[in-house]
Amino acid sequence: MEGPYAHLTLFLTLMVSWSVAFERTSRPINGYDTLDRGIAVKESPATLVVLRKQPLTINCSALVEKKFYPVSYHWKKDGVKIKSRGEHARVRVFRNGTLHFNQIIHRDRKNNIRTDEGFYECFVSNSVGTIIARRVQIRVARISKTFTLEPISQSVDVNRTVVFNCSIHAVTEAHFVWERNRQPITADNSKYILYQSGKLQVNHAKATDAGSYRCLVANKAFFDIDGGATHFHWRNSREAILTVNEAPSEVTKPFLRILAVPVNQTSVLNGDSATIECIADGNPSPTITWTRDGQEVLFDEVEKWYGGSLHFRKVWKKHAGVYKCHITQPGSDRVFEYNNTLRVLVKPVIEIGPQSATHPVARNIVLECKVNGEPPPTVHWLKDGQEVFPGGRFGTLVKEDRNQLRIYGVEDVHSAYYQCLADNEAGSASSIARIKIHLMNDAPNSPADVLVTVLSKAEAEVSWTIQKKKNASKPVFSYTVHYREDKLTGEEKLFISHEAKMTLHNLHPGTNYTVYVKAYNYAGASPSSEVVHFTTMDSIPRGFPTPTLDSTSSSTVLVKWQPMPKELRGGTIVKYRIYYGLCDTDTISNVEVKGDTYKYLITDLLPDSDYRVRLAASTTEGYRNFPDSEWPWTTIRTMKESASENREGHVYLNVTVDEVNMTTTKVSWLYPRKLRLSKQVIFLRNLKQSDGMQMYSLDIYRREITFMSLEPDTTYQFFVLGEQEHQKIAFVTSIFHTLSNRTNHDVPSQLTGNALLPNVISITWNYLGDNSNDVTHYIVRYKPINLEHRCSKDEKTFMTHSQEASLSNLEPFTFYNISVCAVFDDRRSLFSEPVVVRTLEDVPSPPENVEAVVISPGEVQLQWKPPHHPNGNIKGHVISYNVEVIQHPPWTELYQAGQDTAAVVQNLTARTYYFRVQACNGAGKGIPSTKLIVHMENFSTAERPALSDQQLGILGGAAIGLTSIIVTIILVFCKQSELMRRGVCFPRQFYRHHALAAESQAAQTIAVEAGSPTTPTTCACKREKVPPRTVQEPAPVAKETEDTSNTDPHIANIVGGRVYSDGCNTQAEELLALLAPRDGSYSTGSDSRSTSTDGTKEMSDDTATTDDITTQLTHDTAC
């Protein structure tokens, strides 16, 4: 640029560049004037110990000048706003900001906790902004009902040292009192020493010290709180008897008794007292010395008690260090050493806080907070009561004890209260500054009509217009273009342009960016333009995912992978291609999956064979061809095919769910190996309702179905049932959630989740609303999907400030329903469409009820029940045995694939063996069962196996039937004798008729016991039907059997008319039992239908309704 503004332009360019690199000084840039903050905060206690069922009032501790009115207050407990619900509410917030509790509550009954204990914050807002005026931790005083340590009886020689222990859990601190013979003991540090931990030390024991000792404990808070005396009650320990032997009968042998040693670490507030325990006694008397950090302890400010303990009347910061207790005894070279780290806690002190000031637009400013404390405090910065995180216009810098908040290119929206909060274990401190951003009158208007044209995968052109102010005397001579990746923590970059357009270079492919522009003249900078979003073009990925492989059965391999690093993606991954094949052949197969998929089940593989797998990723630009030398294979060997797998045919399904719209979802599936099905039935269950499920009968070759007329924003469970070679196979296959009618701009969107560990799920999301800059934080809501009780109340929430989170402490192999909402200052959005994620498998718990029977010389048959917590799909069991019990025995291991819960171990030659069983799933071997001892010589005296329940039932029924026949004959004979005495005679057919009736009744009883059908009984005498005795036939019920063939909590199999399950999925068992009629066929409703892909309707031919089925399936799931 030529002309009179050339030097000025050069100066401005240098100034802006210098500002971007930021000032080398660590001091804040001074404004034009010092501002009145308009608000003051009074220091208040950081912790309050309160009594249960007592009232409590907490002041907000803030003073606001009237010229900054109006003023409003609100409180938060553990980050959640407290709502005042009227004059008669138990918890109220008054107009002056006072928080009042009519009655403090604290209940903990069977983990159902309801308490007022927590961390409270008072927020004060005026015409400038918002600050946190009070932060206080409320603790409810309480003491345990049981002791963790109680005194025990002792017998010692005269002049020996005695230590009695006493310990109990209390909040916040316990107060100990000791009694001898029910009389209080006064501690004098010579005869009796009472420790803060509860110990009582008796020195130089005499006969007069003998007697009964006990400790009395109460909560120390009861002594310090007004009104605590009314709640005062003692906990009494058991009594311990001290016996003192005055005249030992023989010369005492040398001995050493260490009565107490230091704990690993002691933390004490600066200025409090402290004791490091180390007590020893013996003959000859031991010597105890102390060192700190290798140097001898000076006892000018430290007192050494009798017996060796170290006592500090007042602990100061200089006393911190590692203390070592050295115990030696004359005549012995052995030294006993014990360490204790003494930590002295010092409350944070803010020596230099942020300064209030006025700054012009576009300036880079620094707020500084110099803090001291021990341990070094953690510093947080708040803007109007909300935490500020690095990214965008904000940056932080820590230099030793100086913490800086840097704000780049300030604008009017940065006018606010800024607060420095410093926290450590000892307490907290706060400092407040008011920042005002001033716009110069002659500054230019903000640029308008910002347009971004994406040129390539790494370049974009930004253009804009500028409207001159009327009577403007200072022309615009430069612009700054600010851009960053579209995320909360993206680093903002800045470039200078002298014309109304600029090309951005070196952008990342397929990445979302935001950009805005500022204009400059001699008077200063303009406000920012509107923020514009744009996305660069995709490129071919520069890398590939690395898979992890797991052989889930003899014919399947589960492939999992993680998203690639962003720098390798080249944009948005739209699909993955999985290559696989046998290691000893050149034939390679491949399959493609969607870009948001991170696992796939490869099916139709050969058992006990080596396979190789590798992956490629694709953007819209396609795949990259890597040479074999740079693109390695991952290998795995499939499992051997087991007898139980062939017999039961239980396998996984590979299910794909596509949400077409809010009410329509397409589900497709593949069986892991080729199955010749003779029947295929589909079920769909609404997990939000309790009115049964829908049933669809499909052609045996169909592998997809489109569900229509679904409820939006609803979770469904999808079943497939089939029949193969007269064996009914049930698969509970998938859970999906329909779309909702919310727009992406109203709620967080693009919510995705990945299971990282058996108890951890990672989630990410975006918020695309126009008010994204006003989001203060997000609330994540999640709960397990309980397939048996869909009204689960295990919902949990937590708060986060970023667009990603990790859910921990989850249950293994469990589906979770997860959703997110955005929170603003005065409201919050609806929750997003949930995502359903299943945690990974974890190792199983031990098999239960392990039993062993010696069935022949050298052979033992083991039987057990499945683990109570399979934590996945049981693939097999490991049977281990050995002949001795040592810490690390050389166990011999046998692996048995499948879900059989019995095994025979052969070739046993020793007389005694120890057995244990472990279940195996995808996570590995589980916890072993309790060791079982088997004596092989018991074979000759082994008891015969007990009769089964069915055999016992048949024998019992037969006994009842025979008894009925005998009783009937006796009654008939007696009746006949009586009638004959009266002169009444019956023909012979009468006797025959009653004998036949009695025999028929007995046969009916036996048939019912054995489960056989019964037929009506006819009268042989009168040749007419006799009404049979009513016998209610038991309904078909799916019983749990000990032979658990499938431990997947979402899969159950019917094999030969029996149900095999792990007992965890009552719904599946009921489903299978109800769908297995006596004739071996399925019953489907006449209105059951599905929509195929070509739009035709499929109707089932059966006429039986499903009312009974759905009623029994859902009777225990109503909310």
Side-chain angles (χ1 to χ4, degrees), residues 209-222:
D209 296 321
S212 64
Y213 287 77
R214 69 171 183 174
C215 71
L216 287 73
V217 188
N219 197 310
K220 192 174 182 181
F222 297 153

Side-chain angles (χ1 to χ4, degrees), residues 1051-1067:
I1051 297 180
N1053 299 321
I1054 292 183
V1055 181
R1058 297 184 65 191
V1059 176
Y1060 293 83
S1061 171
D1062 64 347
C1064 300
N1065 193 354
T1066 305
Q1067 300 293 341

Side-chain angles (χ1 to χ4, degrees), residues 525-719:
S526 72
S528 297
S529 69
E530 63 174 339
V531 177
V532 176
H533 300 260
F534 70 94
T535 303
T536 54
M537 297 179 182
D538 287 343
S539 67
I540 298 176
R542 297 170 51 197
F544 48 84
T546 300
T548 59
L549 308 180
D550 181 21
S551 179
T552 54
S553 74
S554 61
S555 61
T556 60
V557 168
L558 181 62
V559 185
K560 296 181 181 179
W561 62 94
Q562 295 293 330
M564 292 190 300
K566 190 169 185 178
E567 58 271 16
L568 299 179
R569 297 177 200 167
T572 302
I573 301 298
V574 296
K575 56 186 176 181
Y576 293 97
R577 182 176 293 166
I578 304 167
Y579 297 87
Y580 64 95
L582 287 167
C583 292
D584 55 358
T585 67
D586 294 331
T587 303
I588 299 297
S589 303
N590 68 81
V591 63
E592 287 189 344
V593 296
K594 293 183 177 180
D596 57 355
T597 302
Y598 300 104
K599 62 181 178 180
Y600 182 78
L601 188 71
I602 304 177
T603 61
D604 296 327
L605 304 179
L606 297 177
D608 197 22
S609 301
D610 292 320
Y611 280 86
R612 50 180 175 169
V613 179
R614 65 184 180 187
L615 276 73
S618 171
T619 62
T620 55
E621 295 296 309
Y623 294 96
R624 180 182 293 273
N625 293 322
F626 293 95
D628 287 342
S629 59
E630 300 177 6
W631 192 18
W633 293 91
T634 303
T635 60
I636 190 172
R637 189 173 187 85
T638 53
M639 298 171 57
K640 295 182 179 180
E641 192 167 20
S642 64
S644 61
E645 187 175 5
N646 289 332
R647 182 180 71 250
E648 298 167 10
H650 100 268
V651 285
Y652 296 105
L653 293 185
N654 187 35
V655 180
T656 302
V657 178
D658 294 319
E659 292 88 357
V660 180
N661 54 44
M662 292 183 295
T663 61
T664 304
T665 297
K666 178 182 176 182
V667 180
S668 58
W669 62 94
L670 291 174
Y671 293 100
R673 61 172 179 264
K674 295 180 181 179
L675 299 176
R676 295 182 179 179
L677 297 179
S678 58
K679 190 168 292 186
Q680 188 174 225
V681 183
I682 307 300
F683 292 86
L684 185 68
R685 181 167 68 183
N686 186 335
L687 294 183
K688 196 166 64 175
Q689 298 179 354
S690 58
D691 56 353
M693 61 175 65
Q694 297 173 322
M695 179 187 297
Y696 306 87
S697 179
L698 292 187
D699 183 89
I700 60 174
Y701 299 105
R702 282 279 301 278
R703 296 296 182 265
E704 65 179 31
I705 186 172
T706 300
F707 297 111
M708 305 180 68
S709 302
L710 303 178
E711 291 187 25
D713 197 19
T714 303
T715 303
Y716 286 87
Q717 187 179 11
F718 164 71
F719 295 77

Side-chain angles (χ1 to χ4, degrees), residues 103-262:
Q103 187 182 68
I104 292 292
I105 63 172
H106 180 82
R107 301 172 187 166
D108 186 356
R109 297 176 181 174
K110 296 181 179 179
N111 296 325
N112 183 17
I113 301 176
R114 185 186 177 197
T115 180
D116 290 321
E117 195 172 70
F119 185 69
Y120 290 78
E121 296 172 300
C122 177
F123 292 77
V124 183
S125 302
N126 61 10
S127 59
V128 174
T130 302
I131 68 165
I132 298 180
R134 179 83 185 268
R135 305 167 78 225
V136 58
Q137 182 79 37
I138 293 181
R139 305 292 305 275
V140 179
R142 56 192 182 274
I143 189 169
S144 176
K145 295 181 180 180
T146 58
F147 287 81
T148 55
L149 283 176
E150 294 185 82
I152 58 176
S153 299
Q154 301 182 48
S155 178
V156 299
D157 293 337
V158 69
N159 291 325
R160 300 266 66 94
T161 301
V162 180
V163 173
F164 290 108
N165 292 304
C166 187
S167 177
I168 195 171
H169 176 70
V171 176
T172 57
E173 187 178 349
H175 175 71
F176 295 90
V177 173
W178 280 88
E179 291 182 345
R180 185 176 70 86
N181 297 331
R182 300 296 177 93
Q183 297 298 319
I185 294 176
T186 302
D188 56 8
N189 292 347
S190 57
K191 183 65 176 178
Y192 298 106
I193 301 177
L194 179 59
Y195 290 83
Q196 293 175 343
S197 63
K199 286 184 175 67
L200 174 66
Q201 179 179 335
V202 183
N203 301 320
H204 305 292
K206 305 294 184 184
T208 55
D209 296 321
S212 64
Y213 287 77
R214 69 171 183 174
C215 71
L216 287 73
V217 188
N219 197 310
K220 192 174 182 181
F222 297 153
F223 298 90
D224 301 333
I225 302 175
D226 293 339
T230 60
H231 299 266
F232 188 85
H233 56 279
W234 293 96
R235 301 270 190 255
N236 301 332
S237 75
R238 66 188 177 196
E239 291 188 330
I241 305 301
L242 175 61
T243 303
V244 180
N245 304 318
E246 287 193 271
S249 58
E250 56 186 30
V251 179
T252 304
K253 297 180 180 179
F255 70 93
L256 174 65
R257 290 193 307 156
I258 299 177
L259 304 175
V261 296

Side-chain angles (χ1 to χ4, degrees), residues 322-343:
V322 177
Y323 289 79
K324 181 174 289 187
C325 170
H326 308 262
I327 303 175
T328 59
Q329 192 173 29
S332 174
D333 296 334
R334 189 172 182 181
V335 179
F336 297 88
E337 296 180 344
Y338 302 94
N339 291 343
N340 173 273
T341 301
L342 180 61
R343 299 173 64 238

Side-chain angles (χ1 to χ4, degrees), residues 29-35 356-361 363 436-440 523-524:
I29 301 172
N30 293 325
Y32 292 111
D33 61 322
T34 300
L35 285 178
S356 299
T358 301
H359 299 274
V361 171
R363 183 67 62 86
K436 182 178 180 181
I437 307 304
H438 177 66
L439 179 64
M440 304 298 292

